[in-house]
Amino acid sequence: MRFDRTMGAGERLSIAFGLAVLWALLATAAIAQTAVGRERIRIDDNWRFTRGDPAGMTTDLRYDVRPVVERSADGRVADAEPEDAVAVRAGDSRVLKPWILPTANAFIADPAKWHVRPAGDPGSDVAYVQSGFDDSAWTKVTLPHDWAIAGPFIKDGPYGGMGRLKSWGIGWYRKTLDIPARDAGRSIFLDVDGAMSYATVWLNGRLVGGWPYGYNGWRLDLTPHVVPGGRNQLAIRLDNPPESARWYPGGGLYRDVWLVKAAPVHVGHWGSIVRTPKVDKAAAEVTLALTIDNDSDAAATVEVASDLYVLGADGRHTGRPVARIAAARQQVAAKGSARFDGATVIANPRLWGPPPTQQPNRYVAVSSVRVGGRVVDSYETPFGVRDIEFAGPRGVIVNGQPVRLNGVNNHHDLGALGAAFNVRAAERQLEILREMGVNAIRMSHNPPAPELLDLTDRMGFLVIDEVFDSWERKKTPLDFHLIFPDWHEADLRSMLRRDRNHPSIMLWSVGNEVGEQYTGEEGAAIARKLVGIVREEDTRPATSAMNYAKPDMPMPAEMDVININYQGSGIRTLPGQYPAFRAKFPDKVIFESESASALSSRGEYLFPVSGSVSGPVRPGSGGDPVTHHVSAYELHASDFGSSADREFSAIDQNPDVAGEFVWTGFDYLGEPTPYYTSRSSYSGIVDLAGFRKDRFYLYQARWRPDLKFAHILPHWTWPGREGEVTPVHVFSSADEAELFVNGESQGRIKRAPFAYRFRWDFVTYQPGVLQVVTWKEGKPWADASVETVGEASALSATADRSRIAGDGRDLAFVTVDVVDSQRRIAPRAKMPIRFRVEGPGELVATDNGDPTDLTAFPSATRAAFNGKALAIVRARPGGKGPITLVAEADGLAPTRVVVTATGK
């Protein structure tokens, strides 16, 4: 630009302003032109995996220096007091912690506490991170992947607490990313839903970042390291410590991994907040806040508008919007963010609530982000319209209706599938629990896979979302306490932001049985800080499950809701604490966040049978120290727990208690109290294979009192017990019952106050037929019978579904029963069964629910356990047509079942 005269200051300012405006317009136009829209691509296929670091590697790739741990004794009491952390210093070690910590910055509220990344890229010299490394000899895997679940089980040594599977150690994953040249100018992110644990990520030899905690999802910005149109080599190293959990944690990239591509201006990570501050039948107020990120080098004028639709059961929305949030416009600074707030009203809203009295209706907000008049991003936020009130002694009220919490705890493993998350496997668990009458789930003791919360939204379960099992004091030598000081804020905020739009979540839990219960005001100060973070992020209440803290201690006062573990019915020798907590906290909701912890092995009835209602497992009293089974009469529990009957009585005598969460819904890998030579727990109402224990029907009778049924135990096939006392119990919601043995009455019983089963404890066994007749309020209710079964003669197979998707992810669960000539299940059968698959499918795993069975899960041969075995089948990717599972056993007629794969 040439000027023939000298410009004045005002002219110079005017020209400078004009140039700035022109530059902004050009930049805005460039942003709009380069935008292609958001892509979220699951990148679960074609990974390469190996265990261990390269031979001869000298670079230190540890996240931090850890305490030296001698091999601990197994079988530590589950409610033992946590211990102080061991002080460790890094010394001169060049660990990766300074390079990983900046990943947490987005979740640290005070910018003054943000971490500054040092210069350099540690690990860039390691062969496994380099593009030219030949990984063709590595194992080809598809995510989600649990590197330990295939076994073999560790038969010797103290490893029962972690499931007798070697989940600890170092693992590497490599994948070449497809980043075409047209993606130049876009923002590229890696989203990891779960990596167990201490993840470190390199792209094209550059250290990008990582995340230590194995249960949280996290994002890394790959944009500075991507070569559009070139080879982009991703390498992820995991370093899973031993003795890092009290249960089986799994190992590997065990949840989905995503590649997200977006325009420079886009909705930020977990950048939407939907709330429904006012709800009634006539109208619901809906507020939506969106955080818009501008990754470009120039400010942009951004316009955001949202349409709200009804969301169908299939997760899709159709038809016209039911409401709109008007467009809002503001400038977003270069490399900055801005929040857009809007509100609208849905007339005659379809409310979200738990069945059977309510329905889990959902909506979705579809938000459009425009720059220069062009849509550069579209973002969907599913949500539900509901009002949840925590009403003190009146309990939990959803949409004006009191809802008794019929809840269970569940660990994250999926039995024979391990930690590798699978939607269908989780859905099957929820279906079985719903059949029992469950309406609430506590995620113990970690953030779940996001798809699990999608299921609880769709199916209508209330959820307690929990983040930590430990704070600064340790339960195992290398658990989360090692990183709590640096990561608690980031981990808690990341869970809250990821999960806050799920209508199923009613309550946030910041801890479980933490050691800080024992440290008075010092521990309460940490609780206060964590609860404060919850209040900064969300409007739902916060809690922490307490197995030690009493009403007059500092910890409970910090909680919005009182969650107690086992203390309600009395823990060990202490009396029940419900009245004491109610007296101290008259206006707070109180419920048992862990109740019962009853123990049993499905179908294993041990004699003699205790005459008490509840007792600990001991040799000859509920437990067999030789077979390591626990009696299925459902009268025994862990030392700190109680039977279901005793818990029911405590709740019924304290009607202002909002309900319970039973420990546990399903058996889980690890923590096999009281027999730590076993692989899995005994506490489930349903066994590891998904087969219902007798206790299932005890809870069903209580939680579905209108369901007409009667369940008899034990089975009636006892060769060698003729003439011996064999007690008979019946579970039913009836109030009167009469038992018959071969037509001869054993007595008619009226249910006594605070009794939850019918007992005939002096029945003499003789082969034939047991029959029970029941009444309720003087009217016939339900009859049931069991018979003495003949010799096993055949196998019988039943699939849970006749059709599955041919996507390599959907599953069919096939139950194989050992039956006699009249097709009755042989309740003591334990012979080996061989499985094979014909057609476009494959056998994924087998199981039988026996906690003592150390046969590797992928085995095609599995012994029946008390008449049952399970085979899990899937279609090969792209598979279409009939898949036939064949089951065979020596001396028995074989069986086959057909499942049709429908293609992708």
Side-chain angles (χ1 to χ4, degrees), residues 273-280 283-289 306-309 322-326 340-351 362-367 381-386 501:
I273 308 173
V274 178
R275 292 186 177 135
T276 54
K278 295 180 180 179
V279 176
D280 59 39
E285 180 182 340
V286 180
T287 66
L288 173 62
S306 301
D307 289 329
L308 278 56
Y309 297 86
V322 296
R324 285 194 169 105
I325 296 176
F340 289 69
D341 287 283
T344 189
V345 173
I346 299 177
N348 303 312
R350 304 180 184 185
L351 302 184
R362 294 179 296 158
Y363 294 88
V364 61
V366 180
S367 303
T381 307
F383 69 98
V385 174
R386 87 286 189 274
N501 295 320

Side-chain angles (χ1 to χ4, degrees), residues 78 100 184 232 463 482 489 714 757 775 780 787 837:
I100 303 301
N232 288 274
V463 169
L482 295 176
E489 181 180 3
R757 64 176 77 198
W775 296 264
E787 300 175 324
V837 172

Side-chain angles (χ1 to χ4, degrees), residues 404-409 438-442 464 564 578 590-597 642-649 651 657-663 685 699 702-703:
R404 192 77 165 175
L405 297 176
N406 301 333
V408 297
N409 290 265
V438 171
N439 62 11
I441 309 289
R442 177 171 175 242
I464 301 177
I564 52 178
Y578 286 137
I590 299 172
F591 59 81
E592 194 111 66
S593 40
E594 288 183 26
S595 65
S597 195
S642 65
S643 68
D645 309 57
R646 180 179 166 191
E647 186 63 45
F648 295 163
S649 177
I651 292 175
V657 172
E660 63 174 318
F661 288 79
V662 181
W663 191 265
I685 302 170
Y699 281 99
R702 178 172 176 82
W703 289 344

Side-chain angles (χ1 to χ4, degrees), residues 36 154 183 243 277 284 343 365 453 497 621 631 653 699 710 719 731 782 836 854 901:
V36 185
I154 302 167
D183 286 335
E243 303 203 50
L453 293 174
R497 293 179 191 177
S621 179
S631 179
Q653 293 180 66
Y699 281 99
F731 301 150
R836 57 186 170 87
L854 300 186

Side-chain angles (χ1 to χ4, degrees), residues 626-647:
V626 176
T627 65
H628 290 182
H629 284 303
V630 180
S631 179
Y633 272 95
E634 309 292 7
L635 294 168
H636 297 274
S638 61
D639 283 16
F640 52 83
S642 65
S643 68
D645 309 57
R646 180 179 166 191
E647 186 63 45

